[in-house]
Amino acid sequence: MAAEEHVTDETMTEEQVARMFAGMNEVIRAGEEMRTLRAEMIQLFAGLGWTQDRLARLAGMSQPAVSKQVAKARAGEAADPADLSLDQHDAPWLEGRLWGLAEEIAETVGEAAHCSRHVHALTRGRKRFTPQNVDALRRLVEEDLRAHRTDLTAGHQQVYDRIARGLDVLATKGEAGAGPASARRTLACQIQRVRLKDA
């Protein structure tokens, strides 16, 4: 199999990566943090053998801009590559997964979703990921899973159950992940959304 087509459980398909970059591009105006995350993702997939032309097309960037990011990685300026596995158990990662699940529910159900306003506030930075806001989002997601059972799949409930178990264990144990919390949250949100759409 060619390097460009190589897919394992640790990576993603071209369609998934395209959707993830599209989601990042929509919120890139939110600031430097998302630009940094996008650069890390470009470096990650370039390291997995994806061509610069292909990454430029998927990310909606110029080939020279992608080439610059890849050159930084080769010069040793890049951070360690991101882990794309959803099975990580630090608080920012689980909060990001919850955020991604809530965004998918809001998109599927529309404004009737109880979590819609909360999701919009988090996305626009009007709410922060405090323990109180995370608990409120959990309650709203639980309410949506009950109220909109016919519109949502069993996968939505299964994802929520895993996230909730992880957050409950963290409340007693605690665990730190590598990298800035906000970047991990955003990456987990994007990956969770992509995985849910393909479930």
Side-chain angles (χ1 to χ4, degrees):
M1 187 180 279
E4 272 195 11
E5 297 166 349
H6 182 69
V7 176
T8 71
D9 288 341
E10 295 301 315
T11 63
M12 304 166 91
T13 66
E14 179 172 319
E15 185 180 343
Q16 289 173 326
V17 173
R19 286 201 310 265
M20 191 167 71
F21 277 128
M24 289 178 187
N25 289 339
E26 284 177 15
V27 295
I28 205 90
R29 64 187 175 276
E32 193 58 38
E33 189 172 279
M34 189 60 82
R35 285 185 189 87
T36 301
L37 179 58
R38 185 177 66 178
E40 288 173 6
M41 297 307 295
I42 286 168
Q43 293 161 0
L44 171 73
F45 287 109
L48 292 170
W50 293 46
T51 67
Q52 292 180 21
D53 286 339
R54 186 182 188 200
L55 289 168
R57 178 174 47 83
L58 294 172
M61 296 170 66
S62 69
Q63 198 278 333
V66 169
S67 182
K68 183 178 177 184
Q69 297 301 330
V70 173
K72 280 185 185 176
R74 288 185 181 141
E77 296 176 32
D80 292 335
D83 180 356
L84 301 182
S85 166
L86 281 176
D87 191 28
Q88 299 180 59
H89 303 288
D90 57 286
W93 192 262
L94 291 164
E95 291 164 358
R97 289 189 65 190
L98 179 65
W99 179 19
L101 172 61
E103 283 190 345
E104 281 300 306
I105 290 171
E107 186 176 292
T108 302
V109 177
E111 289 304 315
H114 296 93
C115 67
S116 276
R117 284 186 181 172
H118 204 90
V119 165
H120 294 318
L122 287 168
T123 302
R124 289 174 175 79
R126 291 196 304 264
K127 282 188 186 288
R128 300 207 175 272
F129 280 88
T130 63
Q132 295 80 9
N133 285 336
V134 171
D135 285 343
L137 185 58
R138 283 181 70 173
R139 285 193 303 276
L140 293 167
V141 166
E142 287 169 0
E143 198 170 340
D144 282 324
L145 288 168
R146 280 192 303 272
H148 303 288
R149 199 169 294 163
T150 56
D151 298 316
L152 303 171
T153 68
H156 288 91
Q157 182 67 55
Q158 291 166 356
V159 166
Y160 177 73
D161 291 344
R162 281 189 223 110
I163 294 166
R165 273 194 301 273
L167 287 169
D168 290 342
V169 167
L170 265 180
T172 58
K173 182 171 118 176
E175 192 169 329
S182 53
R184 287 186 59 70
R185 217 176 267 122
T186 303
L187 180 57
C189 174
Q190 296 290 330
I191 293 174
Q192 182 64 78
R193 292 198 69 180
V194 166
R195 300 286 196 208
L196 266 171
K197 285 183 188 302
D198 290 342

